[in-house]
Amino acid sequence: MATKVLMEALSPTMEEGRLVEWKKQEGDAVAAGEVLAEVETDKAVMDLTARAAGVLLKHAIAAGTTVPVGQVVGVIGSKGEDIAALLGGGAPKPSVPVAAAPAAALPVKPAAPAAAPVAGPPAVSAAAVAPAAAPVDGRVKASPLARKIAAEKGLDLARLQGSGPEGRIVVRDLEGAGAVAAIPAAGAVSAAPGSLTGFTDTPLSQLRKTIAKRLTQSIGPIPTFYLTAEVDMERVAEAREALNARAEAEKKPKVSFNDIVIKATALALMQHPACNAWWQEDRIRYWHDVHVSMAVAIEDGLITPVIRHADRKSLREIGAESKELAGRARERRLAPEEYTGGTFSVSNLGMFEIDQFTAVINPPEAGILAIGSIVAKPVAEGDKVVIRRRMRVTMSCDHRVIDGATGAAFLKTLKQMLENPLALVW
């Protein structure tokens, strides 16, 4: 008997998913638990697996299509089985499919530039030339490796002629593609000065949709206040240099400033559990364990992998785990349990030479720490002026959970720990 393949909720907050690529084609035999397709959720690209064995009789949606959770995307049954009744009507209409992208490549390939109506004859640009082989069903045929390389180089596969089987684009077709296949930059003007024809509409990825929704939930309803402190990082910098010199000699991973901040934050939260909490509408949940979410910038937005029990881990353990999680986050390969369940967040833009900023709280968490760059500056030390490495940190607090004095006390403890790094190993 035929079985429907449904778009499953592959993450706790997933409401819809985009089918990135079919791994099994119509007519292929499949076993229960075998990967049928890759699906882009609101946080990652994950595998959609078969719940029954048989033959994949039908792709109910094309690769690149976004549909809500619970909608039929395929049918598994016996070869030659009549499935017309199974597919008949009632399903909500999916969104218009966009060209399939590689599992780890974001954002979704932009649509072709659309010209806004303006007075006078439009100017013609090279980017407006029709592709050599336009896709018939909204999907460009290309090998996974070709998709990955094209995404890295910013090439539009729809502008290339494939030389593989059935016109499939392969790696050799990308050689020398250059500007003719380059994806137009958003807002790039391709017409005469003063006209309004140069723009690119990019469909929202599932991640970007979720970010927009979460920000609306955070900025509007949450009464937020901010606390800023400046930390003397001279001793931490010296300690890090010594630790990394030893790590290099032992051929072990080095420790970053961010790793040290995460450790100090975790220890400070243990002393100030009122900041290690979630707002739960009718109650406040105070966590006994510290799980620090660290903001990681990825190609199409932001994701927060979680360092669990960060207070119990050594700097070396935190360093190794943070690097591993960040790497897989950028590849969109994190499992849901790896980016959910944080009790407090840390966001670091110091590597971009940002002195100070305010971060948006990640609900239901009640606080987030924004880390600026470490800057050498003149400071008074007794009756002398000396040069010290300093860093500004700003804490965003949900006032429904954290009062001003509570947040200030936490920040004071964090500052003391960073200025006396032996406290991190005491």
Side-chain angles (χ1 to χ4, degrees):
M1 182 176 177
T3 303
K4 295 178 180 179
V5 179
L6 304 179
M7 177 61 72
E8 299 181 10
L10 300 175
S11 77
T13 55
M14 179 177 167
E15 296 178 355
E16 61 181 10
R18 186 175 73 88
L19 197 146
V20 176
E21 181 180 6
W22 282 104
K23 293 297 186 182
K24 291 288 185 178
Q25 303 306 314
E26 293 181 358
D28 288 353
V30 297
E34 198 169 3
V35 176
L36 295 174
E38 287 186 334
V39 171
E40 180 193 350
T41 74
D42 54 341
K43 295 289 186 180
V45 175
M46 305 183 71
D47 293 332
L48 180 67
T49 58
R51 301 301 179 186
V55 175
L56 182 58
L57 300 176
K58 182 68 176 177
H59 289 169
I61 65 172
T65 305
T66 299
V67 296
V69 168
Q71 181 164 327
V72 177
V73 298
V75 179
I76 294 175
S78 302
K79 189 173 182 179
E81 186 174 356
D82 185 3
I83 59 172
L86 200 65
L87 293 174
K93 186 178 180 181
S95 62
V96 178
V98 295
L106 286 175
V108 178
K109 183 180 76 59
V118 294
V124 178
S125 69
V129 178
V136 176
D137 60 356
R139 183 189 180 193
V140 178
K141 292 183 179 180
S143 70
L145 181 56
R147 292 186 186 281
K148 182 175 186 297
I149 295 174
E152 292 173 349
K153 292 184 175 181
L155 301 179
D156 185 351
L157 292 176
R159 297 176 180 275
L160 298 178
Q161 179 69 54
S163 62
E166 300 180 353
R168 186 182 181 89
I169 296 173
V170 293
V171 174
R172 64 173 174 267
D173 299 321
L174 304 181
E175 297 175 1
V180 72
I183 296 175
V189 176
S190 58
S195 71
L196 299 175
T197 61
F199 63 86
T200 300
D201 288 336
T202 304
L204 291 176
S205 68
Q206 297 307 113
L207 175 61
R208 182 52 62 183
K209 288 180 184 178
T210 301
I211 289 173
K213 182 178 178 181
R214 299 280 285 175
L215 287 177
T216 303
Q217 291 173 343
S218 180
I219 290 294
I222 297 180
T224 307
F225 70 92
Y226 306 96
L227 299 169
T228 299
E230 188 166 285
V231 182
D232 189 316
M233 295 292 284
E234 197 67 30
R235 289 184 181 178
V236 162
E238 292 170 354
R240 176 175 174 268
E241 290 164 5
L243 288 171
N244 285 343
R246 180 177 175 181
E248 187 173 3
E250 297 176 356
K251 300 187 184 306
K252 293 183 178 178
K254 294 183 178 181
V255 173
S256 70
F257 281 112
N258 199 58
D259 300 331
I260 295 171
V261 170
I262 289 174
K263 174 69 173 181
T265 299
L267 292 176
L269 286 170
M270 288 300 294
Q271 293 189 33
H272 301 274
C275 297
N276 191 46
W278 282 4
W279 173 257
Q280 296 288 91
E281 297 301 335
D282 61 343
R283 64 196 181 279
I284 297 173
R285 180 171 296 171
Y286 296 103
W287 289 95
H288 301 156
D289 298 310
V290 176
H291 307 311
V292 179
S293 302
M294 59 172 192
V296 175
I298 60 178
E299 191 171 354
D300 192 42
L302 187 77
I303 195 167
T304 52
V306 180
I307 306 292
R308 301 195 182 278
H309 303 288
D311 57 307
R312 306 180 197 171
K313 293 178 177 174
S314 68
L315 286 173
R316 184 171 290 176
E317 288 173 327
I318 290 174
E321 188 173 341
S322 64
K323 289 179 178 64
E324 196 268 337
L325 286 172
R328 286 195 292 111
R330 294 185 182 100
E331 296 172 357
R332 301 292 300 277
R333 290 299 178 184
L334 291 178
E337 62 270 17
E338 293 177 311
Y339 58 78
T340 57
T343 60
F344 190 92
S345 292
V346 171
S347 180
N348 191 341
L349 293 180
M351 68 288 293
F352 298 107
E353 298 184 2
I354 300 300
D355 293 334
Q356 178 183 335
F357 69 104
T358 57
V360 178
I361 294 172
N362 184 24
E365 296 171 19
I368 183 171
L369 199 66
I371 309 299
S373 59
I374 297 175
V375 179
K377 59 175 62 177
V379 295
E381 191 174 89
D383 58 353
K384 298 179 181 178
V385 175
V386 296
I387 302 299
R388 306 282 290 184
R389 283 172 278 194
R390 311 277 289 186
M391 179 182 76
R392 287 192 171 186
V393 297
T394 299
M395 181 181 179
S396 303
C397 305
D398 182 342
H399 214 328
R400 298 171 300 182
V401 179
I402 302 172
D403 292 326
T406 305
F410 163 79
L411 213 53
K412 182 179 179 181
T413 298
L414 177 69
K415 175 180 168 72
Q416 290 172 341
M417 286 184 170
L418 291 172
E419 292 183 343
N420 298 279
L422 281 177
L424 301 181
V425 296
W426 183 251

